[in-house]
């Protein structure tokens, strides 16, 4: 296994967990069983991030566009989420993990919404790691939601619209921008995920299908991140001088 430098860890890792359907196809089983295997990879990844010392992990579990999938698949994904919350909520809490979510939760069934609300309430004071689940989430929807709220609030108070205030109107208020975005499944696209927040995020794409994603894969992604120079629009020289200072 590759070694990682604990003094240069990405503070926030976001993951587009793609490839459950193709994994199922390769194993000649139904898509839903692929998602079940994907939920196991979620458990392993949360554990690995906690062990490595990642502070924020955002998982793209269900996109706004996923509502258009066959009803049976949508239902199965919701059941998997419920099962995850039922089984993992207390464990997350014991491990000091705070659960948060981003997305249009109002579109979810009341029962699922209540489970999410209860898990958030239980874990709200935890500080070891934040597990942020993107559910019924779309980056463009998030931006429109923010603009509408800014217009609404500006009727009552003057709002100085700048990058900082705009960010505070996004679902990710209080969560730093991702340092590393991982996409499994071999596609090279962003698929409406965290459009505003990934302006300076390092991107890592792997052909590994999500159900096959392991701690070793995660370490490979972190190793790739640690070999890069993040310049944020500056020159390499400026970055070196800043590091010395
Ligand atoms: C994309 O694979 C994956 C999803 C749409 C759902 C992700 C859900 C899980 C990993 C399981 C449940 C999550 C939690 C948090 C318990 P795809 O179906 O698009 O795969 P394909 O591109 O190969 O068809």
């Amino acid at each position: 296994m590759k070694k990682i430098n604990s003094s240069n860890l990405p503070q926030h890792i976001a993951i587009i967990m793609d490839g459950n359907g193709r994994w199922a196809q390769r194993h000649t089983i139904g898509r839903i069983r692929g998602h079940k295997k994907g939920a196991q990879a979620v458990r392993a990844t949360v554990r690995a991030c906690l062990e490595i010392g990642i502070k924020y992990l955002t998982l793209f579990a269900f996109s706004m566009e996923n509502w258009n999938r066959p009803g049976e698949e949508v239902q199965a994904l919701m059941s998997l989420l419920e099962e995850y919350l039922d089984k993992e909520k207390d464990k997350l809490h014991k491990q000091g993990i705070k659960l948060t979510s981003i997305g249009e939760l109002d579109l979810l069934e009341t029962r699922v919404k209540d489970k999410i609300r209860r898990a958030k309430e239980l874990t709200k004071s935890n500080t070891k790691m934040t597990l942020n689940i993107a559910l019924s989430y779309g980056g463009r929807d998030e931006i429109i939601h923010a603009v509408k709220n800014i217009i609404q609030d500006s009727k009552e108070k003057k709002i100085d619209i700048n990058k900082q205030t705009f960010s505070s109107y996004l679902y990710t208020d209080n969560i730093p921008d991702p340092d590393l975005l991982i996409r499994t499944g071999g596609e090279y696209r962003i698929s409406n995920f965290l459009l505003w927040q990934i302006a300076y995020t390092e991107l890592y794409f792997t052909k590994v299908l999500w159900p096959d994603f392991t701690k070793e894969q995660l370490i490979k992604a972190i190793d790739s991140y640690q070999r890069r120079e993040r310049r944020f629009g500056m020159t390499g020289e400026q970055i070196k001088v800043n590091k010395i200072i």
Side-chain angles (χ1 to χ4, degrees):
M1 227 183 243
K2 287 185 188 298
K3 278 240 178 307
I4 43 179
N5 171 2
S6 55
S7 67
N8 179 28
L9 286 175
Q11 186 187 16
H12 181 179
I13 297 181
I15 309 184
I16 301 176
M17 310 181 286
D18 196 18
N20 294 348
R22 275 162 290 159
W23 187 91
Q25 207 171 22
R26 279 184 204 170
H27 290 78
T28 54
I29 54 172
R31 293 182 60 81
I32 291 168
R33 284 181 62 197
H35 291 311
K36 270 196 185 151
K37 190 78 178 140
Q40 285 176 24
V42 167
R43 288 182 171 87
T45 302
V46 171
R47 204 180 318 123
C49 282
L50 190 71
E51 283 164 10
I52 293 168
I54 303 302
K55 294 308 274 182
Y56 297 87
L57 171 65
T58 296
L59 298 177
F60 203 1
F62 192 86
S63 74
M64 208 53 150
E65 291 70 28
N66 287 154
W67 287 114
N68 300 320
R69 290 199 175 191
E72 198 190 333
E73 187 169 339
V74 170
Q75 208 44 55
L77 283 166
M78 291 300 147
S79 301
L80 276 175
L81 177 71
E82 277 191 67
E83 193 184 319
Y84 180 80
L85 292 171
D86 289 343
K87 289 194 178 153
E88 303 293 319
K89 184 178 66 173
D90 292 331
K91 264 189 243 167
L92 294 177
H93 185 46
K94 276 195 198 115
Q95 290 170 314
I97 300 175
K98 174 177 175 173
L99 186 92
T100 59
S101 72
I102 52 173
E104 302 279 343
L105 286 197
D106 279 347
L107 299 178
L108 301 177
E109 275 177 30
T110 312
R111 203 185 55 244
V112 186
K113 246 187 323 198
D114 282 349
K115 285 189 179 171
I116 298 170
R117 193 179 40 75
R118 282 201 293 273
K120 282 183 182 172
E121 183 58 32
L122 174 72
T123 62
K124 70 177 182 204
S125 307
N126 293 339
T127 56
K128 193 117 198 266
M129 181 174 117
T130 296
L131 169 61
N132 181 35
I133 302 192
L135 265 177
S136 189
Y137 174 87
R140 289 180 170 179
D141 306 271
E142 178 182 36
I143 290 170
I144 290 170
H145 178 267
V147 170
K148 283 184 176 164
N149 283 336
I150 291 173
I151 293 171
Q152 192 56 39
D153 285 359
S154 61
K155 288 179 187 159
E156 283 152 32
K157 58 181 181 209
K158 177 161 177 7
I159 299 176
D160 177 18
I161 301 175
N162 53 43
K163 285 178 271 191
Q164 214 172 350
T165 47
F166 190 80
S167 293
S168 75
Y169 275 87
L170 296 171
Y171 295 128
T172 45
D173 181 29
N174 293 322
I175 296 182
D177 288 344
D179 302 293
L180 172 63
L181 170 71
I182 300 171
R183 181 176 184 137
T184 62
E187 314 281 5
Y188 298 91
R189 54 179 172 255
I190 296 303
S191 301
N192 204 12
F193 192 39
L194 301 174
L195 296 179
W196 169 275
Q197 297 88 338
I198 59 166
Y200 283 102
T201 298
E202 296 298 326
L203 307 179
Y204 180 86
F205 298 95
T206 170
K207 284 198 171 70
V208 172
L209 302 175
W210 176 250
D212 290 329
F213 193 80
T214 58
K215 184 175 182 183
E216 195 174 350
Q217 306 296 333
L218 177 70
I219 289 176
K220 262 193 195 167
I222 296 174
D223 178 66
S224 163
Y225 168 86
Q226 293 188 329
R227 287 169 195 278
R228 304 180 192 185
E229 182 182 63
R230 301 185 77 190
R231 290 195 292 275
F232 302 96
M234 287 183 274
T235 66
E237 277 311 303
Q238 284 175 304
I239 295 292
K240 278 185 199 99
V241 170
N242 281 346
K243 269 188 188 154
I244 293 162
I245 294 166

